[in-house]
Amino acid sequence: IYAADGTVLVQHGGIELGQGINTKMAQIAAQELRIPMNLIRVGDTWTGAAPNSEPTAASSGSDLFGSAVKLACQTLRGRLAQYCEDSNTPAWSAQNAASWRTVVAKASGARVDLQAEATYKTPYIGSVGGSQPYGRAFLYFTYSAACSEVEIDVLTGETTLLRTDILFDNGQSLNPCLDIGQIEGGFLQGVGMMLTEQMMYTADGALYSDGTWDYKPPGTKSVPLVFNVRLHQLERYHPDTGQPLDYASVNGSKGIGEPPLVLAATVFFAVKHAIVAARRDRGSTQWPEITTPATVGRVQQAICPTNDTLRL
């Protein structure tokens, strides 16, 4: 905390990749210190401030770094609250930034330490494995459901994603706007894996789909024409003990980055059912074999194989 103006510098070990982790860290700091968010600045991540940080991966960024930021801010808040009590200084409030600056300035003059650090380890990590094959491996689970509707061109095999509806449980969302964006992005990444991103190799094993001429990542046309995403934020408690049934991480949130990707499987199976319908119209009741990604060529071939004896 800077005594001159009451601003706060937060530095954490996460890497901002566009997922909004810096925004979430600023929110957590502002909430814990009970000050306006415009007083928070998130500094660049560097090893001078966080020399032993964990990778920003596996949807763990907010859990790890947010919890550490929260612990550090609680330490600072505790020091300042104790100073206010000992010196009979009126406590600050989130609605009055001037009161925060006054407390910080006076505390600095009294040589209260205005710096704090903290580390956080996810519970149960490493509890299962090796000689311990049973037990609790995760702090919480993320739940979701999705439904997709597609339309295929029976002549070309082209797929149009008409609609997708997603209901996602990520606990108490730290930032619903960011989290819905993460869900949409993760789902679209999965759509690419399910429909277009085919790896192709030469006879001697060399990869030749190494550019967008042969390798097709999802684009704007991959987005569902109707795309509905809703967060399911519901606290569940044990009817007898009153304890939460789903333990979550920082401020009741859950990881959001990678789980939405698997929901794109609904698109693949929708394509497969569309192929079944197209084949049924041509007199076949057999279940077609098709692997991911369901590319234009594979869909067209599944509808009308080269050895097809169906009615034309």
Side-chain angles (χ1 to χ4, degrees):
I1 306 172
Y2 292 98
D5 60 1
T7 57
V8 177
L9 173 64
V10 176
Q11 288 188 290
H12 59 89
I15 301 297
E16 176 60 74
L17 302 169
Q19 79 277 37
I21 190 173
N22 284 350
T23 300
K24 290 184 176 182
M25 298 304 103
Q27 287 180 275
I28 292 170
Q31 181 176 350
E32 290 303 316
L33 293 175
R34 299 171 185 171
I35 60 176
M37 192 171 167
N38 60 12
L39 293 178
I40 308 292
R41 183 175 73 86
V42 179
D44 295 333
T45 300
W46 68 302
T47 54
N52 302 303
S53 61
E54 295 294 324
T56 307
S59 305
S60 63
S62 295
D63 289 8
L64 291 174
F65 309 117
S67 297
V69 168
K70 182 175 182 176
L71 291 173
C73 288
Q74 287 175 345
T75 298
L76 290 172
R77 192 182 73 205
R79 292 174 187 167
L80 292 174
Q82 187 63 50
Y83 167 77
C84 290
E85 181 179 343
D86 294 342
S87 62
N88 293 320
T89 300
W92 70 97
S93 67
Q95 292 73 32
N96 188 351
S99 64
W100 163 258
R101 294 187 178 96
T102 299
V103 169
V104 168
K106 290 184 176 181
S108 177
R111 293 302 182 264
V112 175
D113 189 359
L114 300 182
Q115 301 178 78
E117 64 173 347
T119 57
Y120 177 80
K121 180 181 179 181
T122 303
Y124 306 110
I125 291 294
S127 297
V128 176
S131 59
Q132 296 178 315
Y134 303 103
R136 182 169 180 173
F138 303 102
L139 178 61
Y140 60 82
F141 293 92
T142 298
Y143 305 95
S144 58
C147 183
S148 296
E149 179 184 359
V150 304
E151 180 180 76
I152 61 173
D153 189 315
V154 297
L155 297 179
T156 66
E158 182 180 1
T159 297
T160 301
L161 184 45
L162 301 178
R163 174 170 177 163
T164 292
D165 296 273
I166 295 175
L167 180 62
F168 202 96
D169 162 38
N170 71 320
Q172 301 301 307
S173 174
L174 295 175
N175 187 309
C177 183
L178 289 175
D179 287 342
I180 287 177
Q182 285 287 89
I183 294 170
E184 293 172 339
F187 176 81
L188 259 296
Q189 188 176 8
V191 169
M193 183 174 68
M194 292 291 104
L195 297 185
T196 60
E197 297 183 56
Q198 183 179 8
M199 304 289 286
M200 294 179 284
Y201 302 87
T202 62
D204 59 356
L207 177 70
Y208 74 84
S209 57
D210 55 357
T212 53
W213 188 258
D214 297 302
Y215 185 83
K216 307 296 182 182
T220 57
K221 297 296 184 181
S222 305
V223 180
L225 299 181
V226 178
F227 199 4
N228 299 316
V229 178
R230 178 182 171 186
L231 298 178
H232 181 67
Q233 302 188 74
L234 177 66
E235 296 180 349
R236 300 191 303 156
Y237 298 91
H238 192 282
D240 297 325
T241 65
Q243 295 297 314
L245 292 178
D246 296 318
Y247 293 91
S249 189
V250 54
N251 292 351
S253 65
K254 296 183 181 181
I256 196 71
E258 295 177 3
L261 184 143
V262 301
L263 299 177
T266 60
V267 177
F268 173 74
F269 289 112
V271 170
K272 199 162 187 177
H273 279 280
I275 293 172
V276 170
R279 289 174 62 90
R280 186 182 300 117
D281 289 344
R282 302 180 62 225
S284 173
T285 58
Q286 293 181 345
W287 183 260
E289 291 294 333
I290 181 171
T291 59
T292 57
T295 61
V296 171
R298 287 177 175 174
V299 171
Q300 197 277 336
Q301 181 66 22
I303 296 172
C304 184
T306 54
N307 61 348
D308 196 1
T309 60
L310 300 181
R311 150 174 71 83
L312 295 177

